[in-house]
PDB file of all heavy atoms in Angstrom:
ATOM      1  N   ILE L 345     111.007 294.331 117.695  1.00 92.00           N
ATOM      2  CA  ILE L 345     110.945 292.816 117.788  1.00 92.00           C
ATOM      3  C   ILE L 345     109.573 292.493 118.363  1.00 92.00           C
ATOM      4  O   ILE L 345     108.742 291.705 117.694  1.00 92.00           O
ATOM      5  CB  ILE L 345     111.946 292.149 118.780  1.00 92.00           C
ATOM      6  CG1 ILE L 345     113.280 292.373 118.232  1.00 92.00           C
ATOM      7  CG2 ILE L 345     111.659 290.743 119.053  1.00 92.00           C
ATOM      8  CD1 ILE L 345     114.487 292.038 119.162  1.00 92.00           C
ATOM      9  N   PHE L 346     109.038 293.187 119.391  1.00 92.00           N
ATOM     10  CA  PHE L 346     107.659 292.961 119.865  1.00 92.00           C
ATOM     11  C   PHE L 346     106.584 293.602 118.975  1.00 92.00           C
ATOM     12  O   PHE L 346     105.551 292.909 118.864  1.00 92.00           O
ATOM     13  CB  PHE L 346     107.582 293.517 121.397  1.00 92.00           C
ATOM     14  CG  PHE L 346     108.653 292.907 122.257  1.00 92.00           C
ATOM     15  CD1 PHE L 346     109.769 293.614 122.512  1.00 92.00           C
ATOM     16  CD2 PHE L 346     108.459 291.730 122.783  1.00 92.00           C
ATOM     17  CE1 PHE L 346     110.590 293.183 123.477  1.00 92.00           C
ATOM     18  CE2 PHE L 346     109.343 291.204 123.715  1.00 92.00           C
ATOM     19  CZ  PHE L 346     110.527 291.879 124.008  1.00 92.00           C
ATOM     20  N   GLY L 347     106.948 294.772 118.333  1.00 91.00           N
ATOM     21  CA  GLY L 347     106.062 295.113 117.437  1.00 91.00           C
ATOM     22  C   GLY L 347     105.717 294.381 116.208  1.00 91.00           C
ATOM     23  O   GLY L 347     104.502 294.183 115.764  1.00 91.00           O
ATOM     24  N   GLY L 348     106.840 293.691 115.667  1.00 88.00           N
ATOM     25  CA  GLY L 348     106.678 292.863 114.550  1.00 88.00           C
ATOM     26  C   GLY L 348     105.930 291.581 114.910  1.00 88.00           C
ATOM     27  O   GLY L 348     104.983 291.140 114.161  1.00 88.00           O
ATOM     28  N   LEU L 349     106.144 290.975 116.071  1.00 88.00           N
ATOM     29  CA  LEU L 349     105.499 289.755 116.422  1.00 88.00           C
ATOM     30  C   LEU L 349     104.029 290.094 116.671  1.00 88.00           C
ATOM     31  O   LEU L 349     103.122 289.180 116.184  1.00 88.00           O
ATOM     32  CB  LEU L 349     106.127 289.152 117.710  1.00 88.00           C
ATOM     33  CG  LEU L 349     107.637 288.646 117.441  1.00 88.00           C
ATOM     34  CD1 LEU L 349     108.219 288.200 118.827  1.00 88.00           C
ATOM     35  CD2 LEU L 349     107.617 287.521 116.572  1.00 88.00           C
ATOM     36  N   THR L 350     103.636 291.064 117.401  1.00 90.00           N
ATOM     37  CA  THR L 350     102.269 291.352 117.649  1.00 90.00           C
ATOM     38  C   THR L 350     101.461 291.724 116.340  1.00 90.00           C
ATOM     39  O   THR L 350     100.305 291.654 116.165  1.00 90.00           O
ATOM     40  CB  THR L 350     102.084 292.385 118.726  1.00 90.00           C
ATOM     41  OG1 THR L 350     102.729 293.653 118.248  1.00 90.00           O
ATOM     42  CG2 THR L 350     102.479 291.961 119.995  1.00 90.00           C
ATOM     43  N   GLY L 351     102.174 292.271 115.448  1.00 87.00           N
ATOM     44  CA  GLY L 351     101.694 292.622 114.019  1.00 87.00           C
ATOM     45  C   GLY L 351     101.209 291.327 113.273  1.00 87.00           C
ATOM     46  O   GLY L 351     100.241 291.559 112.558  1.00 87.00           O
ATOM     47  N   LEU L 352     101.897 290.307 113.527  1.00 85.00           N
ATOM     48  CA  LEU L 352     101.545 289.118 112.789  1.00 85.00           C
ATOM     49  C   LEU L 352     100.109 288.592 113.343  1.00 85.00           C
ATOM     50  O   LEU L 352      99.445 287.972 112.449  1.00 85.00           O
ATOM     51  CB  LEU L 352     102.517 288.000 113.057  1.00 85.00           C
ATOM     52  CG  LEU L 352     103.985 288.250 112.491  1.00 85.00           C
ATOM     53  CD1 LEU L 352     104.866 287.086 112.749  1.00 85.00           C
ATOM     54  CD2 LEU L 352     103.790 288.316 110.898  1.00 85.00           C
ATOM     55  N   VAL L 353      99.801 288.923 114.513  1.00 88.00           N
ATOM     56  CA  VAL L 353      98.480 288.645 115.146  1.00 88.00           C
ATOM     57  C   VAL L 353      97.432 289.436 114.261  1.00 88.00           C
ATOM     58  O   VAL L 353      96.306 288.891 113.789  1.00 88.00           O
ATOM     59  CB  VAL L 353      98.359 289.018 116.623  1.00 88.00           C
ATOM     60  CG1 VAL L 353      96.880 288.796 117.009  1.00 88.00           C
ATOM     61  CG2 VAL L 353      99.435 288.119 117.381  1.00 88.00           C
ATOM     62  N   ASN L 354      97.719 290.718 114.046  1.00 84.00           N
ATOM     63  CA  ASN L 354      96.749 291.668 113.392  1.00 84.00           C
ATOM     64  C   ASN L 354      96.614 291.177 111.879  1.00 84.00           C
ATOM     65  O   ASN L 354      95.529 291.312 111.331  1.00 84.00           O
ATOM     66  CB  ASN L 354      97.186 293.018 113.351  1.00 84.00           C
ATOM     67  CG  ASN L 354      97.430 293.614 114.750  1.00 84.00           C
ATOM     68  OD1 ASN L 354      96.744 293.126 115.755  1.00 84.00           O
ATOM     69  ND2 ASN L 354      98.192 294.675 114.916  1.00 84.00           N
ATOM     70  N   ALA L 355      97.702 290.610 111.272  1.00 83.00           N
ATOM     71  CA  ALA L 355      97.650 290.146 109.923  1.00 83.00           C
ATOM     72  C   ALA L 355      96.918 288.907 109.647  1.00 83.00           C
ATOM     73  O   ALA L 355      96.498 288.610 108.530  1.00 83.00           O
ATOM     74  CB  ALA L 355      99.087 290.087 109.476  1.00 83.00           C
ATOM     75  N   SER L 356      96.728 288.101 110.752  1.00 83.00           N
ATOM     76  CA  SER L 356      96.125 286.842 110.616  1.00 83.00           C
ATOM     77  C   SER L 356      94.678 287.096 110.403  1.00 83.00           C
ATOM     78  O   SER L 356      93.872 287.801 111.110  1.00 83.00           O
ATOM     79  CB  SER L 356      96.226 285.971 111.870  1.00 83.00           C
ATOM     80  OG  SER L 356      95.493 284.881 111.772  1.00 83.00           O
TER      81      SER L 356
END
Side-chain angles (χ1 to χ4, degrees):
I345 293 171
F346 300 103
L349 292 175
T350 54
L352 295 176
V353 174
N354 302 337
S356 169

